[in-house]
C-alpha cells in the first residue's frame, strides 16, 4: 500500500531499522533513533543498488516521489542515478573552487607580493563592492562578456567611469590568471576593451600663478596643525615629488650632509635622486629633532610604525581654506612646479620631466634615463624669473661636489 503523510507521521521507530515501502522501489528507512530517510532500491547493469533521496521531513512524500521518478527516467536512459549524483557533487565542488570570487582571491594573493599594501586593499575593495555580489558565486567558466558588461555599466552609471574601465582590466587579469592555472580557457573581458568610453581627462587642481603661489606659501606659516604636517606642506612645493613618496620618506634614505634624498620610485620602479635646496635642508634638520628616531620622516599620528595618512596634506590645505577639488591638491604641487618652471623660468619640458620622476625618452644624450639630477640642478637654479623683483645671482658650475651642494638655493618665482 502506498504511503501517506499521516502514516509517515504516525510511524514509530523499532529496536531495528524499519522499512516502509511506497512503490516503484521508493521506501522510508526509520532508524531506531527516530530519524527517517528516503531511499530508492533499483537495479542497474544486473546489480541491486540504493540511492539516498533525502531526509524527512525536509523532503516530503511528494518530493521523494518526484525524485524517484527522475531517477527512473535516468535508468531508462541507461544512466546510473547513483553515479549521476556523484558527478553532480563533484561538479558542484569544482564550481565552488572555480567560482569567480575564489579564483580572484587566489590571483590577489599571488599579486599581493608585488604591489603596495594600499593598492592591494583598494583592488580587493573594488571586487567586494562592485563585482562579487553579482559575479562572485558564478563558475568562472560560465561567465560571459554580457554579464561583465552589465557590471561595468552599473559602475559607470554612478559616474565612476575611470573605475569601470579599471575594473574591466582587473577582471581581464583574473581570467588570464585562471587560464594560466587551467581554470578557464578564454578571457571574455578582453572583448570589452573600449566598451566603456574613456572619461574626460581631468587634472589635479593646481595653483600656477606665481603671485597666488606666494600667497599660499605665506599662508602655510599660519597653519595650526601638527609640526610634521606643516613641514610636509612646506617641503611639497620645494621637492614636487609624488605625495605618496613624500609621506613615506624614510630618514635612512636622506643624507642631510650631502643634501640628497634617494629613493625608489614606486610608479616607475626606478631609482631617483632629489637634490635638497638649502630651505629643504633647514626644514628637515628642524623636523629631525622631532621624528629622527622614527623610521619615517612623517610618522603617523597614531603610530610611528606607519607613515602619515595619505589624506593629511589635503586635509591641511582644506584647513587653510583651499578647495582641494578646484584650487590645489597634494599632487597639484607637481603641476604647479612644472608649469612655472616652463612658463616663468623657460626650462625645457623634457628637462623638467626628470625631477618629476617621469620616464623620459633618451633624447638628452647622456642625461636620458640615467639622469644626473645634480647636473640639471644648475640650470634650474641659475635661471631667474621675469616676475621676480630680486633673485640670487647665477651660480657657476663646478666639479667640486661641495660647490654643487652650496649652490642648491631655491630660486622659484614665488620666493
Amino acid at each position: 500500500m502506498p504511503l501517506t503523510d499521516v502514516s509517515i507521521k504516525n510511524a514509530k521507530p523499532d529496536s531495528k531499522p524499519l522499512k516502509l515501502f511506497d512503490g516503484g522501489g521508493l521506501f522510508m528507512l526509520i532508524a531506531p533513533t527516530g530519524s527517517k530517510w528516503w531511499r530508492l532500491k533499483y537495479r542497474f547493469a544486473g546489480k541491486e543498488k540504493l540511492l539516498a533521496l533525502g531526509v524527512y521531513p525536509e523532503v516530503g512524500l511528494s518530493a521523494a516521489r518526484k525524485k524517484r521518478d527522475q531517477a527512473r527516467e535516468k535508468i531508462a536512459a541507461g544512466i546510473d542515478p547513483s553515479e549521476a549524483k556523484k558527478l553532480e557533487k563533484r561538479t558542484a565542488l569544482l564550481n565552488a573552487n572555480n567560482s569567480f570570487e575564489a579564483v580572484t582571491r587566489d590571483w590577489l594573493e599571488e599579486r599581493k607580493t608585488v604591489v603596495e599594501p594600499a593598492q592591494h586593499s583598494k583592488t580587493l575593495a573594488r571586487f567586494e563592492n562592485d563585482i562579487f555580489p553579482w559575479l562572485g558565486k558564478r563558475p568562472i567558466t560560465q561567465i560571459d562578456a554580457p554579464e561583465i558588461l552589465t557590471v561595468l555599466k552599473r559602475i559607470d552609471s554612478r559616474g565612476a567611469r575611470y573605475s569601470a574601465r579599471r575594473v574591466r582590466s582587473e577582471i581581464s587579469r583574473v581570467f588570464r590568471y585562471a587560464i594560466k592555472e587551467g581554470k578557464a580557457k578564454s578571457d571574455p573581458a578582453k572583448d570589452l576593451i573600449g566598451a566603456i568610453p574613456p572619461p574626460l581627462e581631468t587634472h589635479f587642481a593646481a595653483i600656477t600663478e606665481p603671485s597666488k603661489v606666494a600667497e599660499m606659501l605665506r599662508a602655510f606659516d599660519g597653519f595650526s596643525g601638527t609640526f610634521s604636517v606643516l613641514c610636509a606642506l612646506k617641503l611639497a612645493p620645494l621637492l614636487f615629488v609624488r605625495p605618496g613618496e613624500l609621506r613615506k620618506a624614510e630618514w635612512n634614505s636622506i643624507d642631510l650632509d650631502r643634501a640628497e634624498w634617494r629613493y625608489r620610485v614606486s610608479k616607475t620602479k626606478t631609482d631617483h635622486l632629489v637634490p635638497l635646496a638649502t630651505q629643504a635642508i633647514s626644514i628637515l634638520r628642524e623636523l629631525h629633532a622631532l621624528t629622527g628616531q622614527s623610521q619615517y620622516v612623517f610618522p603617523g599620528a597614531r603610530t610611528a610604525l606607519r607613515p602619515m595618512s595619505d589624506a593629511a596634506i589635503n586635509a591641511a590645505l582644506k584647513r587653510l581654506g583651499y578647495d582641494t577639488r578646484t584650487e590645489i591638491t597634494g599632487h597639484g604641487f607637481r603641476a604647479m612646479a612644472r608649469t612655472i618652471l616652463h612658463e616663468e623660468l623657460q626650462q625645457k619640458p623634457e628637462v623638467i620631466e626628470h625631477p618629476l620622476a617621469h620616464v623620459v625618452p633618451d633624447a638628452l644624450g647622456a642625461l636620458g634615463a640615467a639622469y644626473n639630477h645634480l647636473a640639471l640642478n644648475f640650470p634650474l637654479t641659475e635661471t631667474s624669473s621675469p616676475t621676480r623683483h630680486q633673485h640670487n645671482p647665477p651660480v657657476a658650475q663646478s666639479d667640486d661636489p661641495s660647490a654643487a651642494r652650496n649652490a642648491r638655493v631655491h630660486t622659484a618665482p614665488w620666493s
Side-chain angles (χ1 to χ4, degrees):
M1 179 182 293
L3 296 174
T4 65
D5 288 327
V6 174
S7 64
I8 294 172
K9 290 179 181 178
N10 293 334
K12 303 298 181 183
D14 199 351
S15 58
K16 295 182 179 180
L18 178 66
K19 295 179 180 180
L20 301 178
F21 289 91
D22 181 64
L26 176 65
F27 68 91
M28 172 172 281
L29 179 64
I30 303 178
T33 59
S35 299
K36 298 176 180 179
W37 301 314
W38 292 109
R39 295 289 186 265
L40 175 66
K41 183 169 66 172
Y42 68 98
R43 295 186 70 82
F44 190 86
K47 295 182 180 180
E48 186 175 288
K49 294 189 172 186
L50 283 178
L51 177 65
L53 300 180
V55 180
Y56 183 87
E58 284 77 9
V59 177
L61 177 58
S62 61
R65 287 172 175 169
K66 186 176 181 179
K67 289 188 174 186
R68 175 199 60 193
D69 295 341
Q70 292 172 344
R72 288 291 179 188
E73 290 176 0
K74 286 186 174 69
I75 295 171
I79 300 172
D80 185 345
S82 293
E83 294 301 320
K85 185 177 181 179
K86 292 177 183 178
L87 179 60
E88 290 173 0
K89 285 185 176 181
R90 287 196 297 269
T91 301
L93 179 61
L94 182 63
N95 287 340
N97 292 334
N98 282 2
S99 70
F100 181 79
E101 179 173 349
V103 176
T104 298
R105 291 188 182 277
D106 289 343
W107 169 69
L108 286 170
E109 194 63 27
E110 180 181 85
R111 180 173 176 261
K112 189 176 182 179
T113 60
V114 296
V115 299
E116 294 289 330
Q119 184 179 353
H120 171 80
S121 298
K122 289 179 181 178
T123 304
L124 176 59
R126 277 194 293 273
F127 276 96
E128 291 180 336
N129 295 332
D130 295 325
I131 307 172
F132 289 163
W134 292 275
L135 299 181
K137 292 182 172 57
R138 299 272 288 124
I140 193 167
T141 55
Q142 296 180 16
I143 295 174
D144 56 19
E147 283 184 273
I148 299 172
L149 183 59
T150 299
V151 170
L152 301 182
K153 286 183 175 180
R154 185 180 294 111
I155 299 171
D156 184 43
S157 66
R158 68 169 189 256
R161 177 156 292 181
Y162 178 79
S163 293
R165 290 170 62 87
R166 177 187 287 270
V167 163
R168 188 218 61 81
S169 175
E170 289 171 340
I171 291 176
S172 184
R173 293 179 189 178
V174 172
F175 274 96
R176 293 202 299 272
Y177 169 82
I179 293 170
K180 182 192 75 171
E181 297 295 323
K183 297 182 178 181
K185 293 184 178 179
S186 61
D187 172 17
K190 182 179 179 181
D191 298 329
L192 297 175
I193 295 176
I196 301 297
L200 295 176
E201 185 177 356
T202 58
H203 299 282
F204 291 103
I207 297 174
T208 57
E209 296 180 29
S211 60
K212 291 185 178 180
V213 173
E215 181 182 336
M216 177 182 63
L217 297 184
R218 288 191 293 269
F220 288 174
D221 293 330
F223 179 67
S224 59
T226 65
F227 184 67
S228 293
V229 176
L230 173 60
C231 290
L233 274 177
K234 290 183 175 181
L235 286 170
L238 288 174
L239 308 179
F240 42 90
V241 296
R242 293 179 177 88
E245 289 156 356
L246 179 62
R247 72 181 185 87
K248 293 179 183 178
E250 299 183 12
W251 282 115
N252 62 11
S253 65
I254 295 176
D255 189 331
L256 294 177
D257 293 329
R258 293 179 60 86
E260 295 176 357
W261 173 23
R262 296 175 181 269
Y263 66 90
R264 185 79 171 171
V265 180
S266 57
K267 188 170 184 178
T268 60
K269 307 301 181 185
T270 56
D271 293 327
H272 190 56
L273 187 158
V274 179
L276 300 174
T278 53
Q279 294 92 329
I281 291 293
S282 177
I283 294 169
L284 288 169
R285 287 195 184 281
E286 192 172 3
L287 180 60
H288 190 271
L290 176 65
T291 69
Q293 300 304 312
S294 170
Q295 173 187 356
Y296 296 103
V297 177
F298 307 102
R302 296 182 179 180
T303 173
L305 299 179
R306 299 179 62 181
M308 180 176 68
S309 165
D310 57 0
I313 294 295
N314 279 357
L317 291 169
K318 289 179 181 178
R319 290 181 63 176
L320 290 170
Y322 288 95
D323 187 329
T324 55
R325 293 181 64 88
T326 61
E327 292 184 285
I328 183 70
T329 68
H331 204 284
F333 289 112
R334 292 165 60 79
M336 179 183 78
R338 192 188 191 287
T339 300
I340 294 180
L341 285 170
H342 177 56
E343 296 182 0
E344 299 292 337
L345 299 180
Q346 289 83 48
Q347 293 297 316
K348 295 180 179 179
E350 61 269 23
V351 173
I352 301 170
E353 294 303 304
H354 285 291
L356 292 171
H358 287 163
V359 176
V360 181
D362 194 7
L364 299 178
L367 294 177
Y371 161 59
N372 184 333
H373 300 70
L374 298 181
L376 281 183
N377 183 60
F378 291 108
L380 290 177
T381 55
E382 289 176 8
T383 306
S384 61
S385 166
T387 63
R388 288 172 56 94
H389 297 293
Q390 288 183 321
H391 59 271
N392 296 325
V395 179
Q397 297 192 25
S398 170
D399 293 330
D400 181 3
S402 63
R405 291 195 295 274
N406 294 334
R408 295 188 187 95
V409 180
H410 184 56
T411 60
W414 50 80
S415 299

